[in-house]
């Protein structure tokens, strides 16, 4: 459900990659209110273009397609790529090669601002007993988190070398509602997601920033004070779901890595890529 627009500022053309995914579909509805043209891309079907929408299919690993995709856009919300733990090859193509292609395309087309959908899994091996800041060094919990850490470094390089501003948003768990005990800390509502995206797009000076994508949860492992300049003020909280989630939570096994570490089940040990 859409709330009131969070800003009266408007753009001419915004690009949303990964527009067919869970968060992409949600932002597709919401971002239209802030631009004349919303360009949407994905390799998965996007349906029909509504008024004010442009649909483009651009595989992230296709350099030429990416350069065409970023032509004449004011800013990019880059959700595209692999968003869960998967074997190395798809992660390599979409998240490693793809993120490099995205930033090269931004440089060539003179695009100056990017929201890079990073992930809490960049830092999944910090403990749930810790609160980490926006300057916390990466401690990826798998190949997916590792690829997002790479993306954050690409963003930093393109900021330092070419002046492209990026917010690396280490998204927690953005779903309609928190699903388990872990999400009491990591959850971000869709309304707060919209607030965060618009804060990133409209703050006067973004620079290179890292910010955690979470709501104003009572239990928290992330401290966003280092990104106060972004102006993100979450207004939702996981607290209304606490009692129900705790009631159905099985007894915690304090030796389970998924209970010890912030990345939850993503940290479970084992070989990657099904290579024993
Ligand atoms: C992520 O990065 C995933 O994209 C999402 O599907 C969730 O699993 C989320 O992390 C999470 O940690 O809950």
């Amino acid at each position: 459900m859409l709330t009131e627009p969070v800003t009266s500022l408007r753009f001419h053309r915004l690009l949303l990659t990964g527009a067919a995914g869970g968060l992409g579909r949600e932002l597709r509805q919401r971002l239209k209110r802030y631009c004349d043209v919303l360009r949407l891309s994905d390799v998965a079907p996007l349906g029909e273009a509504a008024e004010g929408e442009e649909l483009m299919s651009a595989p992230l690993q296709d350099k030429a397609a990416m350069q065409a995709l970023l032509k004449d856009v004011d800013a990019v919300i880059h959700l595209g790529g692999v968003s869960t733990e998967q074997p190395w090859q798809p992660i390599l193509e979409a998240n490693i090669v793809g993120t490099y292609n995205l930033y090269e395309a931004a440089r060539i087309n003179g695009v100056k601002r990017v929201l890079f959908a990073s992930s809490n899994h960049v830092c999944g091996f910090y403990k749930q007993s810790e609160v980490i800041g926006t300057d916390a060094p990466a401690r990826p919990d798998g190949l997916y988190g590792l690829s997002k850490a790479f993306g954050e470094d690409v963003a930093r390089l393109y900021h330092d070398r070419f002046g492209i501003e990026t917010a690396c948003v280490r998204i927690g768990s953005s779903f309609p509602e928190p699903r388990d005990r872990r999400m009491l800390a990591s959850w971000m509502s869709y309304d707060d997601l919209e607030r965060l995206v618009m804060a990133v797009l409209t703050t006067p000076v973004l620079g290179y920033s890292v910010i955690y994508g979470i709501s104003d949860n009572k239990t928290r492992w992330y401290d966003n004070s280092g990104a106060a300049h972004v102006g993100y003020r979450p207004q939702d909280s996981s607290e209304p779901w606490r009692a129900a989630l705790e009631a159905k939570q099985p007894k915690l096994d304090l030796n389970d890595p998924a209970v010890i570490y912030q990345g939850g089940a993503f940290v479970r040990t084992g070989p990657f890529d099904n290579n024993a």
Side-chain angles (χ1 to χ4, degrees), residues 83-84 118-121 144 171-173 175 182-183 186 263 266:
S83 63
T84 53
S118 186
S119 170
N120 71 88
H121 297 289
Y144 163 61
I171 300 174
S173 310
F175 297 104
R182 174 177 168 271
M183 290 192 195
S186 62
F266 279 63

Side-chain angles (χ1 to χ4, degrees), residues 46-200:
L46 286 163
E48 294 294 311
E51 199 183 329
E53 289 183 344
E54 288 176 347
L55 309 188
M56 288 175 80
S57 175
L60 293 164
Q61 61 275 25
D62 182 336
K63 197 170 163 181
M66 291 302 288
Q67 286 179 16
L69 183 67
L70 270 81
K71 191 167 181 323
D72 296 330
V73 305
D74 298 332
V76 183
I77 300 97
H78 180 50
L79 307 185
V82 170
S83 63
T84 53
E85 187 64 13
Q86 286 189 29
W88 175 242
Q89 198 57 33
I91 287 179
L92 173 66
E93 287 169 19
N95 293 14
I96 303 288
V97 177
T99 306
Y100 172 67
N101 284 346
L102 179 97
Y103 275 91
E104 267 299 276
R107 180 186 67 76
I108 289 164
N109 285 290
V111 179
K112 288 293 183 198
R113 192 167 289 199
V114 178
L115 184 155
F116 172 61
S118 186
S119 170
N120 71 88
H121 297 289
V122 165
C123 291
F125 264 117
Y126 286 93
K127 291 186 172 165
Q128 295 188 10
S129 55
E130 294 175 274
V131 176
I132 59 173
T134 57
D135 55 355
R139 292 185 74 171
D141 57 28
L143 299 179
Y144 163 61
L146 183 64
S147 72
K148 291 293 181 182
F150 171 82
E152 292 191 0
D153 278 351
V154 175
R156 174 153 244 164
L157 173 64
Y158 275 75
H159 172 258
D160 293 348
R161 193 144 162 170
F162 305 113
I164 297 174
E165 296 190 299
T166 291
C168 299
V169 180
R170 292 179 178 169
I171 300 174
S173 310
S174 194
F175 297 104
E177 54 186 63
R179 296 171 173 173
D180 54 26
R181 179 201 58 86
R182 174 177 168 271
M183 290 192 195
L184 292 172
S186 62
W187 184 66
M188 174 168 58
S189 71
Y190 289 155
D191 285 349
D192 281 341
L193 170 68
E194 178 181 341
R195 290 182 185 106
L196 176 49
V197 170
M198 294 319 297
V200 166

